[in-house]
Amino acid sequence: MKKMLRRMVVLAMVVFMAGGAAQAAETVVGVDANFMPFEFKVDGKLTGFDVDLFEAIAKEIGLDFKWQTMDFNGIIPGLQSKSIDAAIAGITIKSEREKVVDFSHPYYDSGLIILVAADNEDIKVLEDLKGKRVATKLATTSEDYLKKNVDTKELKLLPNTDNLFMELMTGGVDAVFFDSPPLLYFAKNQGKGKVKTVGPLYQGQPYGIAFPEGSPLREKVNIALLKFMEDGTYDKLYEKWFGASPK
Ligand code: ARG
């Protein structure tokens, strides 16, 4: 009887360890496939600046990984619980987040901007959002910024970028306030003639790749990222996605 019990314990340990090893082999990288032109899907395939950049980094450091698409608001919690090993999703480096995750060096300078209907004449700057219905993405720096700086009539927090545009186009909100790249991209493409961006860029937003605290992957990624900035790889990707060289 005792012998059988011992065997069962050993078997359980082997199964447990094998599971651990299988998990360790596969690096999971979180991404929100709804943030053009950084990460989005074309014919079901993940593409964009962040996607190209991380794939190039992974190749450089010999990292086997798989993408895990998720809503943006799940990314920081996913890193904290280590259900993902890294994330690249236009994530702004900010103090509150630095307390709970680790960031790479910044790889892109962004900012926040206002998007309105093409025929809107009364919203031109942030102050004009006072008393208006505004949409932004849930759990982002824009949510924080709006709550701190504008007394809106209604603040719609949506998990998906496409829904922000839908709300604006169908008149559900008067303006969208969010990271400039996806808004500029939408204004130039699907939203052409229907929407426009107004005002200056509000608040600098350096983007970084994020990791669980203490992740050994961060330094490797940082070295590859800096190398790419030195050898022209970064500039090539930047030009591919933003049509200009980085300043
Ligand atoms: N930069 C903003 C933030 O970090 C918004 C990022 C949204 N990214 C995305 N993939 N949806 O809060």
Side-chain angles (χ1 to χ4, degrees):
M1 194 60 199
K2 243 190 179 164
K3 207 168 165 191
M4 207 163 104
L5 199 67
R6 209 179 309 139
R7 269 199 204 139
M8 277 166 67
V9 169
V10 169
L11 187 71
M13 276 168 67
V14 167
V15 169
F16 181 77
M17 278 158 60
Q23 240 174 15
E26 185 119 64
T27 299
V28 180
V29 180
V31 67
D32 166 15
N34 196 231
F35 190 71
M36 308 79 75
F38 287 81
E39 49 262 348
F40 57 114
K41 280 190 172 165
V42 176
D43 301 328
K45 204 185 164 309
L46 198 58
T47 187
F49 179 72
D50 278 351
V51 174
D52 279 358
L53 181 63
F54 197 85
E55 284 178 354
I57 290 172
K59 199 167 163 213
E60 173 75 18
I61 65 177
L63 178 73
D64 250 343
F65 79 99
K66 68 163 200 239
W67 290 113
Q68 171 71 53
T69 57
M70 56 208 294
D71 281 345
F72 187 76
N73 61 330
I75 286 183
I76 302 286
L79 291 164
Q80 285 181 274
S81 68
K82 297 202 165 88
S83 63
I84 49 176
D85 305 290
I88 185 163
I91 307 170
T92 303
I93 301 173
K94 51 177 268 179
S95 59
E96 282 303 311
R97 291 175 180 163
E98 187 65 84
K99 285 181 199 159
V100 296
V101 300
D102 282 351
F103 281 105
S104 71
H105 290 293
Y107 67 88
Y108 185 88
D109 279 328
S110 186
L112 308 176
I113 205 167
I114 302 168
L115 186 78
V116 291
D119 60 2
N120 184 310
E121 287 306 326
D122 47 85
I123 297 174
K124 298 204 162 58
V125 287
L126 195 79
E127 292 69 40
D128 301 333
L129 296 180
K130 188 168 180 237
K132 297 286 193 320
R133 297 164 308 153
V134 182
T136 194
K137 199 172 209 168
L138 180 67
T140 62
T141 46
S142 298
E143 175 184 345
D144 301 341
Y145 193 83
L146 286 169
K147 285 184 172 166
K148 229 174 263 165
N149 296 294
V150 193
D151 188 15
T152 56
K153 179 174 164 203
E154 189 186 350
L155 184 55
K156 284 197 180 164
L157 299 171
L158 306 170
N160 182 295
T161 315
D162 287 333
N163 292 347
L164 299 177
F165 302 138
M166 196 81 83
E167 279 289 327
L168 183 64
M169 309 270 278
T170 57
V173 292
D174 306 302
V176 168
F177 183 78
F178 193 41
D179 293 49
S180 60
L183 302 197
L184 291 168
Y185 189 88
F186 182 74
K188 236 191 269 164
N189 297 287
Q190 304 96 307
K192 203 178 165 108
K194 299 176 197 138
V195 297
K196 63 184 177 190
T197 55
V198 292
L201 272 190
Y202 293 95
Q203 203 180 55
Q205 300 267 314
Y207 292 167
I209 302 168
F211 306 88
E213 285 208 302
S215 165
L217 196 54
R218 177 169 69 152
E219 181 162 78
K220 290 184 197 145
V221 166
N222 265 337
I223 292 169
L225 182 62
L226 294 176
K227 176 169 176 265
F228 287 171
M229 287 176 169
E230 291 155 10
D231 72 7
T233 306
Y234 176 90
D235 288 18
K236 256 190 227 132
L237 284 181
Y238 192 104
E239 271 156 41
K240 170 178 170 191
W241 288 105
F242 306 108
S245 355
K247 307 154 242 143

